[in-house]
């Protein structure tokens, strides 16, 4: 199994059942394959029929694999599961494991048990990883914050975790943090923020939704994600926004290619709509 942020989730989920987790680049005795890319790259080595596959990214979903190839097939959200049905998943099979919710990337992130209050000045959070994931829309997030949000809520601060800055750098009311952010700084930022903006055009999770819920930080996220099912389960925890066409099938996903098509993910957004949704959360979240 290759390293990655979902490792802790899989470890917590599977170790009570006596399933071992090791890194496939170092060991041959493993039970879990984390990522279809590992399977495709080293297919001769994998005996998929006896392995559990964790599929966390839609990028890892070529049509050449199927859940019948594995002992179990783990997905991160119902939204993702529904996309994969009739494509690479046979829904009639009983080997599908849906990880509801999940856990934060850092095991040191203790859950917030207190009622969070939104107070001025507002602290806004986004997680960009812009150096390798430009589809996270950091540019549009900064534009929205500077040109729209600050006018409505003067004095607010935007925290961007995982930006391309090599160290913490502040430009006006925007603070950029380095990509090495899974540490106490990461946890401290979550603890003090009032809203997380997730303007990504598509996500199978995203993982940061789990972390928002962990710290009772409401989120504003695209409908093309697991955000609607979190709201259905938990109620007043965030809001979804229709800033992109709804992707309801793998065929539509492949035709749009939202995470690779720069003309699509780099387009200007309806910033007034985003502001209205953010204002709704700020006025009603308790």
């Amino acid at each position: 199994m290759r390293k990655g942020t979902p490792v802790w989730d899989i470890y917590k989920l599977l170790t009570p059942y006596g399933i071992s987790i090791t890194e496939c680049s170092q060991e041959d005795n493993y039970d879990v394959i984390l990522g279809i890319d590992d399977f495709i790259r080293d297919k001769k080595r994998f005996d998929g029929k006896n392995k559990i596959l964790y599929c966390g990214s839609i990028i890892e979903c070529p049509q050449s694999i199927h859940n019948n190839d594995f002992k179990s097939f783990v997905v991160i959200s119902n939204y993702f599961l529904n996309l994969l049905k009739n494509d690479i998943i046979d829904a009639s099979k009983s080997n599908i494991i849906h990880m509801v919710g999940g856990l934060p990337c850092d095991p040191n992130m203790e859950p917030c048990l207190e009622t969070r209050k939104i107070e001025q000045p507002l602290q806004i959070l986004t997680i960009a990883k812009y150096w390798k994931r430009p589809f996270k829309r950091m540019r549009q997030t900064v534009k929205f914050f500077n040109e729209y949000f600050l006018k409505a809520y003067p004095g607010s601060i935007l925290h961007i975790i995982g930006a391309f800055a090599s160290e913490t750098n502040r430009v006006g009311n925007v603070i950029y943090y380095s990509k090495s952010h899974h540490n106490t700084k990461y946890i401290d930022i979550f603890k003090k923020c009032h809203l997380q903006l997730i303007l990504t055009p598509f996500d199978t999770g995203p993982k940061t939704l789990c972390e928002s819920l962990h710290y009772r930080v409401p989120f504003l996220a695209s409908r093309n994600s697991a955000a609607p099912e979190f709201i259905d389960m938990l109620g007043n925890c965030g809001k979804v926004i229709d800033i992109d066409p709804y992707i309801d099938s793998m065929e539509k996903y492949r035709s749009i290619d939202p995470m690779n098509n720069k003309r699509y993910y780099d387009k200007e957004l309806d910033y007034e709509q985003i502001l209205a949704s953010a204002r709704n959360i700020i006025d009603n979240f308790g």
Side-chain angles (χ1 to χ4, degrees):
M1 182 177 73
R2 66 175 170 82
K3 293 181 178 178
T5 51
V7 171
W8 193 55
D9 293 43
I10 300 298
Y11 176 81
K12 296 285 285 187
L13 177 71
L14 299 177
T15 49
Y17 301 95
I19 298 173
S20 64
I21 292 182
T22 54
E23 195 177 347
C24 61
S25 60
Q26 298 176 359
E27 302 286 345
D28 290 324
N29 182 25
Y30 51 82
D31 297 312
V32 178
I33 304 170
L34 177 60
I36 296 175
D37 54 346
D38 288 329
F39 180 74
I40 297 299
R41 182 172 55 248
D42 209 0
K43 194 169 184 177
K44 291 182 179 179
R45 184 178 174 195
F46 288 105
D47 177 13
K49 289 288 185 181
N50 296 316
K51 307 303 176 187
I52 296 172
L53 173 72
Y54 176 84
C55 185
S57 169
I58 203 165
I59 298 175
E60 302 169 345
C61 292
Q63 293 171 299
S64 59
I65 66 100
H66 197 276
N67 62 312
N68 289 334
D69 298 331
F70 303 95
K71 180 179 178 181
S72 295
F73 194 92
V74 183
V75 293
I76 196 171
S77 67
N78 257 330
Y79 174 64
F80 192 23
L81 177 59
N82 289 330
L83 285 180
L84 298 180
K85 285 179 180 177
N86 303 317
D87 191 84
I88 69 169
I89 280 185
D90 180 355
S92 67
K93 300 294 183 181
S94 60
N95 68 335
I96 300 170
I97 300 173
H98 169 214
M99 287 179 60
V100 179
L103 300 164
C105 297
D106 191 329
N108 294 316
M109 292 183 76
E110 295 295 333
C112 173
L113 303 178
E114 302 174 356
T115 299
R116 297 290 299 270
K117 294 182 179 180
I118 293 183
E119 301 173 330
Q120 305 285 346
L122 295 175
Q123 307 288 322
I124 310 302
L125 168 67
T126 192
I127 298 179
K129 294 186 178 179
Y130 190 76
W131 75 98
K132 66 175 181 179
R133 296 177 183 172
F135 60 84
K136 293 286 186 179
R137 288 176 167 165
M138 187 178 79
R139 180 189 68 80
Q140 292 96 319
T141 301
V142 172
K143 179 176 180 177
F144 162 71
F145 178 80
N146 282 331
E147 298 182 16
Y148 293 82
F149 195 87
L150 266 181
K151 292 179 181 178
Y153 300 97
S156 299
I157 301 294
L158 174 63
H159 302 267
I160 302 181
I161 297 178
F164 44 72
S166 59
E167 57 187 24
T168 301
N169 182 32
R170 180 164 181 165
V171 180
N173 285 47
V174 181
I175 304 177
Y176 299 85
Y177 300 87
S178 70
K179 62 184 181 180
S180 300
H181 59 268
H182 291 298
N183 49 39
T184 55
K185 175 68 73 174
Y186 183 73
I187 297 171
D188 290 342
I189 294 169
F190 256 102
K191 284 182 177 180
K192 68 182 179 182
C193 281
H194 304 110
L195 173 67
Q196 181 176 185
L197 293 176
I198 309 171
L199 303 182
T200 311
F202 177 90
D203 207 305
T204 54
K207 187 69 180 173
T208 54
L209 282 177
C210 301
E211 294 168 332
S212 270
L213 297 174
H214 211 59
Y215 278 128
R216 297 192 179 187
V217 177
F219 57 80
L220 178 59
S222 165
R223 189 173 298 277
N224 292 321
S225 69
E229 60 197 78
F230 279 103
I231 294 173
D232 288 343
M233 286 188 290
L234 301 171
N236 188 24
C237 61
K239 189 174 180 64
V240 297
I241 185 169
D242 295 305
I243 52 177
D244 296 288
Y246 185 55
I247 297 174
D248 57 1
S249 68
M250 285 298 295
E251 181 180 6
K252 190 167 185 179
Y253 171 83
R254 292 186 179 110
S255 68
I256 295 176
D257 198 14
M259 293 191 287
N260 296 304
N261 183 351
K262 183 176 180 178
R263 286 191 297 177
Y264 184 84
Y265 67 68
D266 200 40
K267 66 185 179 182
E268 295 300 336
L269 306 176
D270 186 340
Y271 299 111
E272 292 288 357
Q273 180 190 8
I274 298 170
L275 179 61
S277 297
R279 190 189 301 275
N280 183 274
I281 295 174
I282 293 165
D283 290 346
N284 295 289
F285 183 81

